[in-house]
Amino acid sequence: MAIKMALLTPNDLININKQLQEADSTVQRVTGLDIKGICKALYGTFPGSEKVGIVPVTSGNGIIGNFSASLNAITQYFGFESFVTDMLDVSGYYEAVRNGAEIILMADDYTFLAHNLKNGKMANNQPCTGIIYAEIASRYLKADSKNVLVVGLGKVGFPGAAHLVQKGFRVYGYDPDENFLQRAVSSLGVIPFNPEKPKKFSIIFEATPCANTIPEPVLSENCVLSTPGIPCAISEELRTKYDVQLVAEPLGIGTVSMLYSVL
């Protein structure tokens, strides 16, 4: 049986431009590059004049308020020309293509994808989100070692962990689902992390839909926490106490990762 994505709510998408500006500022402070710079370095691509058509989809739980408008704001923030179709579903897809869209963005309860109609490339939001948040974490300028803690090893966390392993990091992983953890251990060489025997990390990547998953004993002063998870993985109290550099934004970073990956 397919597993649904963690679904955003309209409240998650309020003031999306402000959230993007704040995320851009944080990423630049943490890595020395803005989000577009991270994407360019990660994928080796750069947008030209691609036109993005955003198709609202009613399948499953239906349309999330602000979602299509937020995607439109995100794509334009990152320099793409975009539009939201008036029609929905298949009719919307038809409208997007007829109106010159070269890249289609659309999502249902299970898949959020970008499809480049010119070159045939297609991207799924979950791995693209995991990979870019892992890439941001990996570029932390003040990291004190090559050790990384990955919390959550599902459809977002596993690709992120794989990316970190590929980049030569010593990856410690934790997931309450023993099957997810064992898959990461056997296929990636991830080191199982035991919460009962914690150690401190300057780089943490978290990919779960749960709040407050990051315990105090793993936090080092001024560490980076890169997380697409909603709700937030760390309490405000701990964030302040340890001066945690938090990279967290609900939709835009993963979306632009998809777009760059299909260019």
Side-chain angles (χ1 to χ4, degrees), residues 157-233:
F158 185 90
H163 183 68
L164 290 164
V165 169
Q166 186 178 27
K167 292 195 73 174
F169 285 83
R170 186 175 174 86
V171 179
Y172 292 78
Y174 175 76
D175 196 296
D177 188 318
E178 188 66 22
N179 292 327
F180 285 2
L181 178 59
Q182 287 308 312
R183 181 181 63 145
V185 170
S186 62
S187 61
L188 301 179
V190 165
I191 303 163
F193 176 73
N194 185 352
E196 301 301 318
K197 297 178 181 179
K199 59 180 293 179
K200 293 185 179 295
F201 293 87
S202 62
I203 306 174
I204 302 171
F205 165 54
E206 192 269 2
T208 82
C210 305
N212 302 327
T213 57
I214 305 301
E216 184 170 2
V218 306
L219 298 171
S220 61
E221 188 72 25
N222 204 227
C223 63
V224 67
L225 171 57
S226 186
T227 173
I230 298 171
C232 189

